[in-house]
Amino acid sequence: MGYAADNGIKALIFDIDGTFYPKRAMMLRLATSSLLHLPFALKYNKMRQRLREETGLGEGDTSSLIELQRVESQMMYPGKTPDYFIEKEKHVFREPWERLFATIKPYPGVRAALVKAKDEGFILAALSDFPIGTKLKALGIEDLFDKAISTEEYGALKPSVRPFRAILEELGIKAGEALYTGDSRSKDIDGAKNAGMHTALISRSVSVYNNTDIIFSSWDEFGKMVL
């Protein structure tokens, strides 16, 4: 038996970007498309990093996408209405991301591992900082998921505890009955572990990290270790 069965896991919850596919491939595509908006892109990334640092592992002060965008807008453009920021973000990131993602391929073995998990009765969910849109469909795995949502919809970014607790509540399970899988130690693993979840880190360079339960380097390995 694998880790999930041995530990009473009912739901497998996943990050998407960098977990199901190589994040670097998408970042290169998005960077090229954002060259004409480089000042905004740099300012945006700095703002999101500051927001993560200020919220940390806590709940944060916002609980919806609209509230989060209002805060982000004020951090980037004090005095302007949120509409300006929302349209700029949509034009520079959200629309290009959706268009460019059609060329992205998943890591080998992703669908096979998820099919096996589904066949064994696990709830499958995706929780990502970035908008999900048609990502799961483009990766060929949308049909396998019971729930897919961005942390932004809960008004917070990882590693805030808010989105982790919120998705557990929506799935109707306890933290100890969930395994969260991601590629970021600080955002995915530390965030999920802080919420009480079991965790699995996908990494080809890290062999030891004390705050995670499992480290795997391929999806074939995930299937053997977890399922």
Side-chain angles (χ1 to χ4, degrees), residues 2 18 42 86 91 117-118 128 138-139 152 160-161 167 173 175 195 200 203:
L42 293 174
I86 291 171
H91 179 64
K118 195 71 175 177
S128 171
L139 293 171
E152 295 174 329
S160 167
V161 72
I167 196 168
I173 59 171
S203 176

Side-chain angles (χ1 to χ4, degrees), residues 22 52 62 85 100 121 134 140-141 152 156 159 164 169 184 188 197 217:
R52 291 184 201 278
T62 55
F85 165 75
L100 294 168
T134 59
I141 55 177
E152 295 174 329
F164 292 105
E169 183 176 350
S184 170
D188 296 321
M197 297 183 186
S217 60

Side-chain angles (χ1 to χ4, degrees), residues 113-124 143-146:
L114 296 179
V115 167
K116 183 179 180 183
K118 195 71 175 177
D119 288 345
E120 293 184 6
F122 292 103
I123 297 168
L124 300 187
D143 59 306
L144 301 173
F145 281 81
D146 301 286

Side-chain angles (χ1 to χ4, degrees), residues 56-58 159-161 165 188-197 199 211:
L57 295 168
S160 167
V161 72
R165 286 178 175 168
D188 296 321
I189 302 306
D190 292 351
K193 184 62 71 172
N194 178 57
M197 297 183 186
T199 58
N211 208 30

